[in-house]
Amino acid sequence: MVHRAFISTMFFQTKTGITSSPPLSRNIKPMFKRRSSLESCDMNTQVRISAQTSVVGVIGDPVRHSLSPIIHNVGFRSLGVDWVYVAFEVAAGKTADSLSALRTLHLRGLSVTMPHKTEMATLVDRSSPSAIALRSVNTVEVASDGALVGHSTDGEGLLQNLRSHGVHIENSSVLVIGAGGAGRSVVDALSRHGCKQVVVANRSLDGAEFAAGLAPIGSRAISLSDEPALRRATEECDLIIHATSMGMGETGSESVLPIPLDLLQQRHIVVDLVYHPLHTALLRVAEDKGCQIVNGLGMLVHQAALQQEIWTGHLPDVQEMLSAASQALS
């Protein structure tokens, strides 16, 4: 008699991606415990993986903290497609190797985060207009002809998030604080969607000038240390977008602010691209002054939804993705 042993593997989703483990004996306690905030999440329903499952993932370093696997796998589930999203920790200087792996393993696409965005823009076969302008890629698509196409979805993700809050930037004046990758993607998107004026404020004036150059009509650059220029820009603008990492992970008081709090007025709409914490010092001060506020989590989710539309041709349920991300941060 032949006895067949069946070894089952359960796949479940964590903050760092899809993990597999053999079944545990009743006498063996697991060596880990999932965070209580995730235990009750609907997003942790079993993810079924087969030999036909399409795989995409994020490359970066560090990347183990990423919310992207949670957000994307909920999105794929909402579409009802046999896709899964995982995190790949890829060290700086190994960007080209990640594309070789993509081709060898027949991955269906990649999300790209630091430190690979700039180098990726030089390695893909062709790029979207925004990726060309920014010289930065956060999404790699495998086209029908096999070419690797670079995209940048961050700026458009911000605009989609603003629209979901009833904020439309056409003919508006915007102050963008920060001229790094996030700030540049914001300026590029604003310039493509009819923004009347963009002022970029940055610690380095050279950096501000480069970012402002992405919106050549009605833009100017100022230094954050130039208080008269900063005051004038704040008085002129309708929308203030904070696009630096200042405030990320903060737990303290209102001592860390990108601009003097007395510059904020009730008529301003204040956006902070930081999403951890969701309620930064800047947003707390702005809310106290009666401003409409928008945190950065929606931008993260909307740009992820746009990535899925690029890969699959379909837009996932953004509200389900946002709910999962919010619960993971709670």
Side-chain angles (χ1 to χ4, degrees):
M1 180 181 295
V2 177
H3 297 278
R4 295 180 179 178
F6 293 88
I7 301 176
S8 63
T9 301
M10 180 177 69
F11 291 86
F12 55 88
Q13 190 170 328
T14 70
K15 274 194 169 183
T16 57
I18 303 301
T19 307
S20 63
S21 65
L24 296 172
S25 163
R26 294 179 183 272
N27 299 320
I28 300 176
K29 294 183 179 180
M31 298 298 291
F32 61 88
K33 185 179 187 300
R34 278 183 276 175
R35 288 179 54 186
S36 58
S37 63
L38 295 179
E39 287 173 351
S40 61
C41 285
D42 185 52
M43 62 192 167
N44 279 314
T45 54
Q46 186 170 319
V47 177
R48 300 185 184 278
I49 298 177
S50 71
Q52 287 77 43
T53 301
S54 295
V55 180
V56 292
V58 57
I59 63 166
D61 187 15
V63 80
R64 295 181 185 276
H65 66 287
S66 177
L67 286 176
S68 293
I70 289 174
I71 293 169
H72 277 283
N73 285 310
V74 169
F76 288 143
R77 188 183 64 191
S78 77
L79 289 173
V81 296
D82 186 15
W83 287 56
V84 69
Y85 185 104
V86 294
F88 300 109
E89 194 156 281
V90 177
K94 299 293 185 180
T95 315
D97 292 346
S98 71
L99 290 187
S100 296
L102 178 150
R103 291 186 172 98
T104 301
L105 299 174
H106 301 288
L107 303 183
R108 298 295 296 274
L110 288 174
S111 299
V112 184
T113 189
M114 296 301 292
H116 302 292
K117 289 184 175 184
T118 301
E119 186 176 358
M120 186 63 77
T122 69
L123 296 173
V124 291
D125 299 315
R126 56 180 183 262
S127 296
S128 68
S130 60
I132 292 171
L134 294 167
R135 302 176 210 168
S136 175
V137 162
N138 82 331
T139 309
V140 177
E141 170 198 9
V142 182
S144 57
D145 61 0
L148 301 183
V149 184
H151 300 265
S152 179
T153 62
D154 287 332
E156 187 62 34
L158 170 67
L159 297 188
Q160 295 283 3
N161 186 41
L162 290 178
R163 292 184 192 112
S164 74
H165 286 83
V167 179
H168 299 274
I169 56 90
E170 293 79 7
N171 297 314
S172 62
S173 295
V174 183
L175 170 62
V176 178
I177 302 170
R184 292 195 298 271
S185 66
V186 168
V187 173
D188 177 68
L190 292 173
S191 71
R192 294 176 189 275
H193 289 271
C195 185
K196 179 175 66 177
Q197 175 180 272
V198 179
V199 178
V200 182
N202 193 55
R203 283 183 296 181
S204 161
L205 186 57
D206 288 344
E209 289 173 344
F210 178 82
L214 295 167
I217 299 176
S219 68
R220 69 178 188 270
I222 62 174
S223 170
L224 278 171
S225 62
D226 186 345
E227 189 166 336
L230 188 59
R231 185 171 297 277
R232 176 191 165 198
T234 308
E235 290 171 351
E236 293 175 349
C237 75
D238 312 298
L239 178 64
I240 299 172
I241 301 176
H242 175 228
T244 81
S245 60
M246 184 180 293
M248 187 177 294
E250 68 176 9
T251 57
S253 66
E254 298 161 358
S255 58
V256 181
L257 291 172
I259 59 173
L261 61 88
D262 67 296
L263 297 182
L264 297 176
Q265 301 174 30
Q266 185 175 357
R267 63 180 182 80
H268 286 135
I269 300 168
V270 180
V271 181
D272 198 332
L273 301 192
V274 170
Y275 59 84
H276 181 60
L278 290 176
H279 223 51
T280 61
L282 174 63
L283 294 185
R284 291 196 301 271
V285 169
E287 190 172 43
D288 287 344
K289 286 179 169 281
C291 304
Q292 179 180 350
I293 62 171
V294 180
N295 66 47
L297 188 60
M299 174 181 171
L300 178 69
V301 170
H302 278 278
Q303 68 82 28
L306 292 169
Q307 289 181 322
Q308 293 206 3
E309 186 176 31
I310 289 169
W311 294 326
T312 70
H314 302 282
L315 195 65
D317 190 317
V318 173
Q319 287 306 311
E320 284 191 22
M321 297 164 77
L322 185 59
S323 177
S326 298
Q327 196 166 357
L329 287 174
S330 65

